[in-house]
Amino acid sequence: MGVVQKVEDGKFVESNSAASLANSKKKTGNDSLDKDAFLQLLVAQMKYQDPLEPTSNTEYISQYATFSELEQMQNMSASMDLFRASSLVGQTVLLKVADSSGRTINIQGNVDYVVYEKNKAYLSVNGELYSMDDLDTVADPTYLEAYKLAADWLNIYNKLPAFESLTVADREKVETLDEMYSGMSEYQKNFLKDEEVTTMQKYVAKMKDLVAAAKAEQEGSGGSSDEE
């Protein structure tokens, strides 16, 4: 698995992806004891055992059986992790990655594909590979759409002037808020607070009065001009 390292000002800069992979290898490291290592330890134990009190064959068999059972459990756990990683393809995920400085960085994006290496799964997000250990949240597309829509709505809402300062010049903002809210599903509306919706409705009602008053004033001015 190759990782391209960035260069800035003539110095290598470790990317978030590289930091994720490095941390993943540190976590795995050589902590896991494979079958070959176990057999070497078993042979060493037999070689250097006390000849006056040798270990029984039954104990050796018991140790090997215990190790085999542990190995099967580890393989099953690894298989489940790989299956879980495969099911994430196409999903939107949030990763919490520790960079080279130890700071935690949030990375969000879709999982394009999964790479398997030595019973470890690595997720390709935004064109970079990250360890499954950094996976924090898997988001439902419906939730993300509702969240984004609410964020866009609030962005306009927060730009409204004070209620007393509302004028016809703010008509587009108020009508946009009203249209966006009317087009939301009940699920999407739940992302907004009741007081925000109530305030918007007051703005909408006042804007209708302002527009009606401005229209009446314009028509009245026009009528007076015709009479003259």
Side-chain angles (χ1 to χ4, degrees):
M1 185 190 310
V3 178
V4 178
Q5 195 164 8
K6 299 179 181 178
V7 178
E8 292 182 3
D9 298 328
K11 297 181 180 179
F12 286 110
V13 179
E14 187 174 45
S15 65
N16 296 327
S17 174
S20 172
L21 300 181
N23 290 333
S24 173
K25 291 181 179 179
K26 286 180 182 178
K27 290 177 183 177
T28 2
N30 296 322
D31 294 337
S32 58
L33 182 66
D34 58 14
K35 185 176 295 184
D36 292 336
F38 175 79
L39 290 176
Q40 291 177 8
L41 289 174
L42 192 61
V43 170
Q45 183 181 356
M46 295 175 64
K47 183 177 180 180
Y48 297 106
Q49 66 179 323
D50 187 351
L52 300 178
E53 296 182 3
T55 306
S56 65
N57 293 335
T58 304
E59 188 173 348
Y60 283 129
I61 294 174
S62 175
Q63 290 179 8
Y64 186 77
T66 301
F67 174 78
S68 298
E69 183 179 351
L70 178 61
E71 185 183 36
Q72 289 177 3
M73 292 177 63
Q74 289 176 338
N75 291 337
M76 184 180 298
S77 176
S79 298
M80 292 180 65
D81 287 342
L82 298 183
F83 176 78
R84 183 187 176 208
S86 299
S87 67
L88 293 176
V89 175
Q91 297 290 322
T92 301
V93 297
L94 176 66
L95 304 168
K96 288 188 178 295
V97 180
D99 63 10
S100 56
S101 302
R103 297 174 302 175
T104 300
I105 299 175
N106 294 327
I107 296 175
Q108 179 180 313
N110 292 332
V111 179
D112 300 319
Y113 57 87
V114 179
V115 174
Y116 303 104
E117 184 179 286
K118 297 180 180 179
N119 281 339
K120 289 283 292 182
Y122 299 91
L123 308 176
S124 174
V125 179
N126 300 330
E128 300 283 354
L129 291 178
Y130 297 93
S131 169
M132 273 285 290
D133 297 331
D134 295 321
L135 178 64
D136 181 75
T137 305
V138 181
D140 180 74
T142 305
Y143 168 86
L144 288 176
E145 181 182 1
Y147 182 86
K148 183 179 183 304
L149 187 58
D152 292 341
W153 190 92
L154 286 171
N155 185 44
I156 300 174
Y157 174 87
N158 291 328
K159 292 180 180 178
L160 288 175
F163 187 75
E164 298 77 14
S165 305
L166 189 68
T167 65
V168 179
D170 303 305
R171 180 179 180 179
E172 183 178 355
K173 295 177 184 176
V174 174
E175 291 183 347
T176 299
L177 284 177
D178 191 28
E179 291 174 3
M180 289 177 66
Y181 183 78
S182 299
M184 290 181 181
S185 65
E186 290 302 317
Y187 174 74
Q188 293 169 338
K189 290 178 180 179
N190 289 330
F191 283 70
L192 302 175
K193 297 179 181 179
D194 292 338
E195 54 265 31
E196 293 169 344
V197 176
T198 302
T199 301
M200 178 209 67
Q201 291 171 344
K202 291 179 179 179
Y203 272 82
V204 171
K206 184 174 181 179
M207 181 56 67
K208 288 180 179 178
D209 292 339
L210 291 174
V211 171
K215 186 176 180 181
E217 183 179 355
Q218 184 177 10
E219 290 177 349
S221 300
S224 300
S225 177
D226 291 340
E227 290 176 0
E228 293 177 357

